[in-house]
């Protein structure tokens, strides 16, 4: 049994008056915004915060992120429990160790004083972790930095799941059990408080299954990250995805939401596949049930079983078409199924699964082919199949690098 432990507090250090002023202003602005949401007021009614936004000329996308009610409510309990003086001392100590230049301090202040970013910045410096922001989660990071499935707990500690057989990871009000190879099950054991998030990272050559306490099951493909609350408290069930996953959502009065940047899926009990990889079209295939897809501020689109909604990466255009869902979920059965897919798309998927880089000649990118094969086959065997079908040769140019000819 593994118990989650908190981090030790570091002793108080000397003060730096300039940064102390920045630090306390940041917390004040964060509390102002939390108060605005707590009273169900519009941001337009918070004059101090509006003045701050105008003074700093923040971009629309950044403002949307910084002024998200959900983000601030997520941090609310943590902020309320923070000892600001202790955190300030720790921040100053870290800054002295890194000896930042004055110019960098001014740049960091512009970020730090940006309300929610500041709160996340404080947590980041304390834990020596990068700010958790959806836009920073890339499949490339998964395939290059992780070699085994890894669970990131809410206190930012990392667990390499291969190191645990059937041991339970226990917190005060929930338990995570490794049921079998590559499967985790969450069970609620007590009254939940504020939302706390775990993150599952699945690298190359792996798939992984999550079973939530409400009965929902998610299977993650290689090169994917899922961020999710340990318990679905509140009035909705919401997760964030980068990569590819197959969802079997348990029916509930609470809607289930999958967020992929500015794209959202809302469901109430259904099965569907989501393909959301960097620099690729977003694809959602519905197997059964009903879902609504919403891109940014656009109108929601309702999808029926055996339909796929595609949002094009290049221009954001959205289209819906009829498909055979089985062709898009066979990866769950350890199969590659590419029917009429482009060579560029196929090579991208092979790169993620096998953890290599494959450069496709521009004039070959849109060559279409059908390929069905087991994912246990070696990369050389798969390359051989592709060459036999298309006549395209694939040569090795480095340790983990290939190109087509």
């Amino acid at each position: 049994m593994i118990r989650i432990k908190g981090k030790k507090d570091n002793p108080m250090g000397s003060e730096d008056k300039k940064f102390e002023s920045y630090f306390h202003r940041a917390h004040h602005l964060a509390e102002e915004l939390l108060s605005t949401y707590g009273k169900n007021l519009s941001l337009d009614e918070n004059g101090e915060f509006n003045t701050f936004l105008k003074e700093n000329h923040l971009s629309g996308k950044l403002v949307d992120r910084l002024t998200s009610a959900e983000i601030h409510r997520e941090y609310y309990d943590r902020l309320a429990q923070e000892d600001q003086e202790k955190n300030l001392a720790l921040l100053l100590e870290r800054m002295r160790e890194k000896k930042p230049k004055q110019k960098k301090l001014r740049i960091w202040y512009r970020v730090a004083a940006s309300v929610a970013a500041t709160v996340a910045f404080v947590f980041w410096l304390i834990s020596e972790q990068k700010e958790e922001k959806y836009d920073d989660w890339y499949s490339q990071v998964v395939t290059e930095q992780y070699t085994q499935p890894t669970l990131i707990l809410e206190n930012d500690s990392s667990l390499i799941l291969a190191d645990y057989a059937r041991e339970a990871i226990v917190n005060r009000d929930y338990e995570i059990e490794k049921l079998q190879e590559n499967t985790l099950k969450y069970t609620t054991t007590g009254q939940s408080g504020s939302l706390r998030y775990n993150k599952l990272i699945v690298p190359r050559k792996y798939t992984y299954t999550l079973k939530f306490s409400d009965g929902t099951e998610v299977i993650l493909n290689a090169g994917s990250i899922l961020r999710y609350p340990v318990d679905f408290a509140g009035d909705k069930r919401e997760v964030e995805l980068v990569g590819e996953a197959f969802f079997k959502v348990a029916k509930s009065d609470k809607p289930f939401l999958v967020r992929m940047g500015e794209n959202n899926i809302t469901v109430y009990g259904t099965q569907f596949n989501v393909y959301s990889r960097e620099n690729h079209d977003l694809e959602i295939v519905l197997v059964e049930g009903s879902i609504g897809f919403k891109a940014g501020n656009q109108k929601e689109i309702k999808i029926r079983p055996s339909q796929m909604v595609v949002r094009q990466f290049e221009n954001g255009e959205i289209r819906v078409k009829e498909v055979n869902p089985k062709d898009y979920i066979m990866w769950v059965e350890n199969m590659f199924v590419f029917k009429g897919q482009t060579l560029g798309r196929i090579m991208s998927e092979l790169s993620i699964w096998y953890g290599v880089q494959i450069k496709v000649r521009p004039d070959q990118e849109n060559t279409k082919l059908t390929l069905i094969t087991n994912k246990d086959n070696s990369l050389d065997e798969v390359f051989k199949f592709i060459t036999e079908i298309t006549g395209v040769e694939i040569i090795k140019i480095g340790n983990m690098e290939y190109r087509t000819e």
Side-chain angles (χ1 to χ4, degrees), residues 25 46-56:
R25 185 191 179 199
N46 189 317
E48 181 176 357
F49 187 69
N50 272 323
T51 299
F52 167 78
L53 293 179
K54 292 175 182 177
E55 288 175 352
N56 288 274

Side-chain angles (χ1 to χ4, degrees), residues 8 22 45 88 98 144 194 209 235 251 302 318 405:
K8 295 182 178 179
Y22 296 159
E45 299 176 69
L88 173 59
K98 299 181 183 200
E144 292 182 358
S194 60
T209 300
D235 58 359
K251 291 185 178 180
K302 292 293 180 67
I318 299 172
E405 286 195 341

Side-chain angles (χ1 to χ4, degrees), residues 40-66:
N40 291 319
L41 299 177
S42 165
L43 283 179
D44 294 334
E45 299 176 69
N46 189 317
E48 181 176 357
F49 187 69
N50 272 323
T51 299
F52 167 78
L53 293 179
K54 292 175 182 177
E55 288 175 352
N56 288 274
H57 307 292
L58 300 178
S59 69
K61 186 174 182 181
L62 182 58
V63 170
D64 288 343
R65 179 70 191 176
L66 299 184

Side-chain angles (χ1 to χ4, degrees), residues 199-341:
K199 182 165 63 175
L200 180 61
I201 301 173
V202 183
R204 67 184 182 90
K205 298 287 283 185
Y206 285 93
T207 58
Y208 221 95
T209 300
L210 279 172
K211 295 185 176 183
F212 294 117
S213 57
D214 71 333
T216 293
E217 182 176 314
V218 182
I219 306 173
L220 290 168
N221 203 352
S224 301
I225 311 174
L226 190 73
R227 181 175 182 264
Y228 51 91
V230 298
D231 181 34
F232 293 120
D235 58 359
K236 63 183 177 181
R237 303 169 290 170
E238 183 173 24
V239 301
E240 295 176 85
L241 172 70
V242 173
E244 184 171 18
F246 179 68
F247 291 82
K248 298 179 181 178
V249 179
K251 291 185 178 180
S252 169
D253 292 335
K254 298 181 182 181
F256 192 99
L257 289 87
V258 182
R259 191 159 71 88
M260 305 141 293
E262 66 174 2
N263 301 296
N264 296 276
I265 303 170
T266 303
V267 302
Y268 289 87
T270 187
Q271 297 185 25
F272 59 98
N273 192 77
V274 180
Y275 180 89
S276 176
R277 297 200 186 277
E278 183 188 9
N279 299 328
H280 283 79
D281 294 349
L282 170 65
E283 298 177 353
I284 302 159
V285 177
L286 182 60
V287 178
E288 65 178 48
S290 176
I291 64 174
F293 172 73
K294 192 172 187 294
N297 295 321
Q298 298 184 43
K299 185 179 178 181
E300 183 179 77
I301 299 172
K302 292 293 180 67
I303 311 299
R304 303 191 308 272
S306 298
Q307 286 188 329
M308 176 170 74
V309 59
V310 180
R311 188 182 189 194
Q312 294 183 352
F313 170 73
E314 294 294 340
N315 56 23
E317 181 182 336
I318 299 172
R319 53 192 174 88
V320 178
K321 63 180 182 179
E322 303 292 327
V323 297
N324 180 355
K326 192 172 182 180
D327 294 343
Y328 295 87
I329 63 173
M330 286 302 292
W331 62 266
V332 174
E333 305 295 333
N334 204 42
M335 295 289 293
F336 285 123
V337 176
F338 304 114
K339 290 189 175 181
Q341 285 284 6

Side-chain angles (χ1 to χ4, degrees), residues 181-182 204-207 330-337 350 353-354 372-383 385:
E181 185 179 5
N182 297 351
R204 67 184 182 90
K205 298 287 283 185
Y206 285 93
T207 58
M330 286 302 292
W331 62 266
V332 174
E333 305 295 333
N334 204 42
M335 295 289 293
F336 285 123
V337 176
L350 296 179
W353 181 253
Y354 292 101
I372 302 174
T373 185
N374 196 290
K375 294 170 84 170
D376 289 334
N377 286 329
S378 70
L379 182 58
D380 287 340
E381 289 177 304
V382 178
F383 282 163
F385 298 150

Side-chain angles (χ1 to χ4, degrees), residues 342-403:
T342 64
L343 185 61
R345 167 70 176 270
I346 292 173
M347 291 303 193
S348 176
E349 290 303 296
L350 296 179
S351 295
I352 293 169
W353 181 253
Y354 292 101
V356 300
Q357 293 183 354
I358 308 172
K359 298 178 181 178
V360 180
R361 219 170 63 195
D363 63 313
Q364 298 171 336
E365 281 273 356
N366 294 320
T367 300
K368 291 189 176 182
L369 65 146
T370 294
L371 174 67
I372 302 174
T373 185
N374 196 290
K375 294 170 84 170
D376 289 334
N377 286 329
S378 70
L379 182 58
D380 287 340
E381 289 177 304
V382 178
F383 282 163
K384 183 180 178 182
F385 298 150
I386 292 174
T387 299
E388 290 176 350
I389 296 169
T390 64
V392 174
E393 296 287 342
I394 305 149
I395 63 171
K396 191 170 186 177
I397 58 175
N399 183 34
M400 302 289 282
E401 295 181 70
Y402 298 82
R403 74 161 183 254

